[in-house]
Amino acid sequence: MRTVIVDGYVDEPACFGVPPYISPYIRYIAGAMRERGITEDDIHYFTIDGLRTATPEDVLALKKADLVVILSGITVPGKYLRSSPITPGEIENICSLSSGLKVIGGPIRLGFSKEGGTGAKELGIEAEDVVIAKKDIEAFVYDLFENVSLLDPEDIEHRLRTVEEIGMWSRLGAFIIERHPDYPYVMCELETYRGCGRKIHCSFCTERFYGPSDYRPVSDVVDEVSSLYAAGARYFRIGRQPDLFSFHARDIGADILQPDPSVLELLYSGIRKVAPELKVLHMDNANPATIAAYPEQSLEIMKTIIRHHTSGDIAALGMETADPNVVRANDLKAMPEDVLDVIKMINEVGASRGSSGLPELLPGLNFVHGLPGETKNTFGMNYAFLKSVLDSGLLVRRINIRQVMAFPDTRVYGNDELVGKHKKVFLKYKEKIRKEIDLPMLRKVVPKGTVLRDVMCEVHDESSKNELTFGRQFGSYPLLVGIPLTLPLGKFTDVVIVGHGQRSVKAIPYPLEINSAPLSVIREIPGISDLEASNIYSGVPYANENEILGKVQDVEKLLKYVVV
């Protein structure tokens, strides 16, 4: 039995799988095949980026496959540095190339076309050997097999997988990360639970389609990390859940479940025990309503996170709006004053700078526009809220502003006129926030002279007339770093911040090798004038640091950033 898994990438409110991230779904699918007796040698894995530059051997594997599984689905809009999710045309091309059975699934089942269709016809595919997994693709793939043979897909019931199943599949499928083009530099997204425990759901969110909160046993998550670590994984994010603070939360009869700090301690300490030399351990989503309702328990959880994680972590808060009327009209999670209290709490325990060069733990804020109840005043309220945060000295690492994506069976679906009603206002407001909030905030989070450790060089800017390499640290919502040199891709370097953009920073290698640095880069050294830079450049090569004496007024400042 020859199988191919195509990773078309996923991006959901509670799951990310665009390189360097790999989603848990890929590992579940591979594990389901392994449990059905398919050998590792008979499981071929390609990212869509890999197929775009496929070798003849890759194409042959695709053509000869008995089963091709395509994972896809973007339910939140995103911008990606060096990868782009699979397109409907590419799905169609893959399906036409392979003669075997094709199964398409993932968040794409919630809708791909403007009409929100979830069938092959909506993707432009007219073929009997193509099927859309209407629920969990990993469960559908598992049920397709019986004694290493394929059943008729029409006989398979579309269903959700169980936590017991993914407990097994996540471990059996850990090997697949070794096939990823970026391996071993792959960020493994970890699932603790999915679904929403709220009785009334936000008007636009797709998480409720997974049902009520379905918690995984802590031991299963730890065992999964152990398997991934044994396979070479060193970068992890606990990201696949709507609210990490609510993992195994207690129902005490209130509208919001009560967090259990002991569970998070077991989770984090367990991960650290089985992955002692991990490089990154970050989190993603946090519900501000949970933290505001249970500050004592939440504070204990934050301290647990900081004790076990790696610095540069972000708790992404689904604020959505600072307009109370929009909060009420869409059954959102928290009022603006609650979110402000949460921002203060996270800053109190997490704003100190860690070994990565970034603060230990900072809040991120998500805003959604195009919701019922929104008026032009909403934009002013959002701006005023962010301005108050900035002026108060509080730090926020990331502000995400987007238009709502309306999917079938959500309350906002069909309100296209509402989504585009304030489009011109939205664009001006977004640019105003980028200039007047993001830029000064970034200068506070990473001032000039800040040293960032382990920046991965990822792409060269071919459009620039000057040398320019873009890189990022591994982590949640990593900061984009522009380096005015052509550096080897796929390599890590330490850098020092020398300038700021609205959502990115300019940096130079740290320490800077002065004898090989061009004048344009020497001019970027913090605290060095253009005249001093010219004096330094005119004296290269230097045999030792003493020879630089007299080239600048403050040699100690220079030697903080350079090496001979």
Side-chain angles (χ1 to χ4, degrees):
M1 178 66 63
R2 294 162 297 189
T3 64
V4 168
I5 302 173
V6 177
D7 191 347
Y9 311 143
V10 298
D11 192 352
E12 303 177 89
C15 188
F16 191 53
V18 181
Y21 280 76
I22 184 170
S23 74
Y25 305 127
I26 289 296
R27 309 192 304 266
Y28 298 162
I29 294 167
M33 290 181 178
R34 289 291 293 113
E35 190 178 356
R36 282 304 203 187
I38 309 301
T39 67
E40 290 185 14
D41 289 340
D42 284 329
I43 301 173
H44 299 271
Y45 168 66
F46 300 105
T47 65
I48 184 57
D49 286 318
L51 284 181
R52 287 167 183 149
T53 57
T55 66
E57 291 79 8
D58 296 337
V59 175
L60 187 61
L62 197 60
K63 286 182 175 179
K64 288 187 173 182
D66 300 293
L67 173 66
V68 177
V69 181
I70 303 172
L71 177 73
S72 175
I74 306 297
T75 59
V76 290
K79 292 183 179 180
Y80 312 106
L81 179 61
R82 58 179 172 85
S83 298
S84 56
I86 197 169
T87 66
E90 287 173 326
I91 293 176
E92 186 175 1
N93 288 340
I94 291 169
C95 290
S96 64
L97 187 63
S98 172
S99 59
L101 175 65
K102 278 75 68 174
V103 175
I104 305 169
I108 192 174
R109 70 180 179 83
L110 300 176
F112 204 106
S113 67
K114 289 183 179 179
E115 292 74 29
T118 55
K121 289 184 178 180
E122 283 76 14
L123 289 169
I125 302 170
E126 299 283 352
E128 293 182 356
D129 58 359
V130 178
V131 60
I132 305 290
K134 297 177 182 177
K135 292 191 177 179
D136 282 328
I137 186 171
E138 57 268 35
F140 190 85
V141 168
Y142 178 80
D143 293 345
L144 265 177
F145 288 100
E146 186 175 282
N147 299 323
V148 200
S149 62
L150 286 172
L151 302 177
D152 188 335
E154 292 190 4
D155 295 334
I156 306 302
E157 177 186 355
H158 295 264
R159 67 176 179 89
L160 298 177
R161 45 67 167 174
T162 66
V163 291
E164 292 79 16
E165 285 176 322
I166 63 167
M168 172 70 72
W169 298 340
S170 64
R171 296 193 298 274
L172 290 176
F175 75 94
I176 206 72
I177 70 166
E178 299 176 55
R179 316 275 180 87
H180 195 284
D182 292 347
Y183 179 83
Y185 306 121
V186 180
M187 189 86 162
C188 296
E189 185 88 324
L190 301 172
E191 175 181 345
T192 59
Y193 74 97
R194 68 177 187 181
C196 181
R198 297 185 71 203
K199 297 177 177 63
I200 302 176
H201 303 286
C202 301
S203 65
F204 63 91
C205 191
T206 57
E207 189 65 21
R208 70 178 184 86
F209 295 133
Y210 293 113
S213 299
D214 194 15
Y215 304 119
R216 295 181 67 189
V218 171
S219 59
D220 278 10
V221 182
V222 173
D223 287 346
E224 178 184 2
V225 172
S226 179
S227 298
L228 289 167
Y229 189 80
R234 295 295 182 269
Y235 306 90
F236 302 93
R237 184 173 79 160
I238 309 172
R240 209 283 160 244
Q241 72 277 310
D243 175 22
L244 180 59
F245 285 68
S246 294
F247 183 40
H248 283 285
R250 299 164 177 163
D251 188 349
I252 59 172
D255 181 54
I256 300 172
L257 301 179
Q258 184 184 67
D260 186 346
S262 65
V263 172
L264 274 298
E265 173 61 36
L266 285 173
L267 176 66
Y268 272 85
S269 62
I271 289 173
R272 274 297 194 173
K273 185 175 181 180
V274 300
E277 296 182 10
L278 61 79
K279 302 291 186 182
V280 171
L281 178 58
H282 281 181
M283 63 166 291
D284 189 12
N285 298 310
N287 185 345
T290 302
I291 301 172
Y294 303 100
E296 291 183 10
Q297 292 88 345
S298 298
L299 183 61
E300 191 174 340
I301 289 171
M302 289 179 202
K303 291 178 179 179
T304 291
I305 292 170
I306 292 171
R307 188 161 57 248
H308 296 293
H309 80 162
T310 58
S311 59
D313 210 350
I314 298 174
L317 305 175
M319 180 179 184
E320 327 306 4
T321 183
D323 185 339
N325 291 330
V326 178
V327 173
R328 287 186 283 266
N330 295 273
D331 294 307
L332 302 183
K333 299 174 284 293
M335 287 293 178
E337 57 269 22
D338 297 322
V339 179
L340 185 59
D341 288 341
V342 172
I343 293 172
K344 291 176 181 177
M345 186 185 304
I346 297 174
N347 269 258
E348 286 173 5
V349 296
S352 60
R353 203 164 298 277
S355 59
S356 69
L358 292 170
E360 289 285 351
L361 175 67
L362 290 182
L365 295 176
N366 297 328
F367 287 86
V368 177
H369 287 277
L371 298 176
E374 180 178 280
T375 67
K376 290 183 178 180
N377 291 334
T378 303
F379 299 90
M381 293 181 187
N382 287 353
Y383 177 84
F385 178 88
L386 291 171
K387 189 68 164 61
S388 69
V389 172
L390 177 67
D391 292 344
S392 67
L394 296 169
L395 299 180
V396 173
R397 168 57 196 89
R398 164 188 178 267
I399 301 169
N400 185 34
I401 305 166
R402 67 179 179 93
Q403 292 278 80
V404 68
M405 291 179 70
F407 286 88
D409 297 325
T410 61
R411 279 185 284 150
V412 296
Y413 185 66
N415 291 328
D416 292 340
E417 71 286 349
L418 180 65
V419 173
K421 185 178 179 181
H422 302 115
K423 190 169 184 179
K424 290 184 179 180
V425 177
F426 171 80
L427 294 174
K428 290 182 179 179
Y429 143 89
K430 187 173 182 180
E431 183 62 22
K432 182 180 176 68
I433 287 177
R434 295 296 178 235
K435 290 180 179 178
E436 300 180 15
I437 305 295
D438 277 322
L439 180 56
M441 180 65 76
L442 195 54
R443 287 170 174 158
K444 289 185 176 184
V445 174
V446 281
K448 283 186 178 182
T450 300
V451 175
L452 297 183
R453 304 290 182 181
D454 295 325
V455 173
M456 165 73 85
C457 298
E458 297 191 61
V459 295
H460 295 140
D461 185 2
E462 305 295 344
S463 65
S464 176
K465 295 180 180 179
N466 302 313
E467 294 183 280
L468 185 59
T469 302
F470 285 113
R472 298 176 294 184
Q473 294 174 306
F474 272 68
S476 286
Y477 311 105
L479 185 61
L480 183 63
V481 180
I483 307 167
L485 288 167
T486 300
L487 299 178
L489 301 183
K491 303 295 184 182
F492 289 94
T493 185
D494 295 342
V495 300
V496 58
I497 306 297
V498 298
H500 299 83
Q502 293 177 12
R503 307 198 79 190
S504 62
V505 293
K506 185 178 184 180
I508 59 176
Y510 174 84
L512 182 67
E513 174 48 66
I514 202 68
N515 284 335
S516 59
L519 176 59
S520 59
V521 174
I522 294 175
R523 283 176 174 157
E524 299 288 354
I525 298 172
I528 303 301
S529 69
D530 285 350
L531 178 59
E532 289 174 322
S534 297
N535 290 339
I536 294 168
Y537 186 68
S538 65
V540 297
Y542 297 100
N544 54 60
E545 292 178 351
N546 290 332
E547 292 187 4
I548 305 180
L549 296 175
K551 297 292 184 179
V552 296
Q553 285 188 337
D554 191 344
V555 71
E556 288 187 10
K557 180 179 289 186
L558 174 67
L559 293 178
K560 283 173 58 179
Y561 302 111
V562 305
V563 65
V564 176

